[in-house]
Amino acid sequence: KAEEVTLIGVTKTQSAATVRALLEAGITDIGENRVQEWLQKEPELAGLSYRCHLIGHLQRNKAKFLPGHIDMMQSLDNLRTMETLDRLYAQAGRCLDVLIEVNIGGEAQKNGIDKGELLAFAQRVDACENLNLRGIMTIPPYGEPENMRPYFKQMYNLFVDIQAKKMDNSTVNILSMGMSSDFPVAIEEGATMVRVGTELFGPREY
């Protein structure tokens, strides 16, 4: 059902004015790839209600900028970043919702946890006092939408497996997968969150 899927408007490289127009049109969630880019836009969106998701890889030296500026991090993929965020959010007296990024295609050039390591890592995240594990995310190998279906099926199975483990401190209810080219297939395979940029804004200009 449409109401069961959250649309993330991917706003990387878009101006603050464009992001404002998107929010005023009714989008409630936006996704940014780079912390510094987001910090430049954020002041120009004052007065609007929205949630900002960090969907790109986080360099640990940028982690200190997250508290108070990011509502969810969708790309948690290693223990050192996990420990850094938990410490920083403890110092800030805040908690951060996180998704674990899974390298479902096992691609060497991509970030993400190997699917075989996911459960153990999820349990480590769940033990963090200042991180709330909400689910998992992936960017599958690029290809035709139908060719993505097996990867999305694998992600759904991993999602169900983690839910079945009943984490002590977390509510796992988000499966973030699917982008402009393949989000209908991702939704068919169980996505609760899709990250769409090109379909909203047209081809990205760098």
Side-chain angles (χ1 to χ4, degrees):
K1 298 179 181 179
E3 60 269 22
E4 297 173 339
V5 182
T6 299
L7 171 63
I8 306 275
V10 177
T11 52
K12 66 178 182 179
T13 77
Q14 303 296 336
S15 69
T18 301
V19 178
R20 174 174 282 275
L22 185 75
L23 295 171
E24 290 174 342
I27 295 294
T28 59
D29 293 74
I30 59 174
E32 285 282 336
N33 280 58
R34 297 178 178 85
V35 177
Q36 295 302 110
E37 181 182 341
W38 168 240
L39 292 178
Q40 293 174 0
K41 297 177 188 177
E42 185 182 27
E44 299 185 51
L45 303 175
L48 294 173
S49 178
Y50 62 88
R51 292 182 294 273
C52 183
H53 303 246
L54 182 65
I55 60 177
H57 181 70
L58 175 68
Q59 296 176 309
R60 280 188 302 112
N61 64 342
K62 300 293 194 303
K64 62 186 177 183
F65 299 112
L66 266 61
H69 300 282
I70 296 291
D71 298 289
M72 178 180 289
M73 179 184 174
Q74 295 207 13
S75 52
L76 183 61
D77 64 357
N78 67 78
L79 287 172
R80 292 186 68 189
T81 299
M82 178 198 79
E83 292 166 351
T84 298
L85 288 171
D86 193 36
R87 174 175 53 80
L88 289 170
Y89 274 79
Q91 293 171 354
R94 295 171 174 267
C95 289
L96 176 66
D97 287 344
V98 298
L99 304 183
I100 297 173
E101 182 173 1
V102 181
N103 186 348
I104 196 64
E107 298 174 276
Q109 74 275 21
K110 282 187 178 176
N111 298 305
I113 291 287
D114 181 88
K115 61 184 179 182
E117 302 172 355
L118 176 60
L119 180 57
F121 185 58
Q123 291 171 329
R124 293 288 296 271
V125 178
D126 181 58
C128 292
E129 292 187 6
N130 294 88
L131 301 181
N132 299 322
L133 177 61
R134 297 294 309 281
I136 56 178
M137 179 272 258
T138 198
I139 303 173
Y142 181 75
E144 293 298 317
E146 273 303 317
N147 293 338
M148 305 292 194
R149 196 178 295 275
Y151 297 111
F152 293 146
K153 287 181 181 291
Q154 289 181 57
M155 284 294 295
Y156 181 76
N157 289 334
L158 292 171
F159 178 58
V160 171
D161 286 346
I162 291 178
Q163 287 183 314
K165 295 299 179 183
K166 298 188 183 301
M167 299 291 170
D168 293 333
N169 305 305
S170 305
T171 300
V172 177
N173 57 7
I174 296 174
L175 176 55
S176 176
M177 60 184 189
M179 298 185 287
S180 287
S181 63
D182 55 27
F183 71 87
V185 175
I187 291 172
E188 288 173 359
E189 297 302 335
T192 67
M193 191 173 277
V194 295
R195 309 178 305 274
V196 177
T198 302
E199 283 293 302
L200 291 172
F201 301 111
R204 187 169 286 108
E205 296 181 7
Y206 291 93

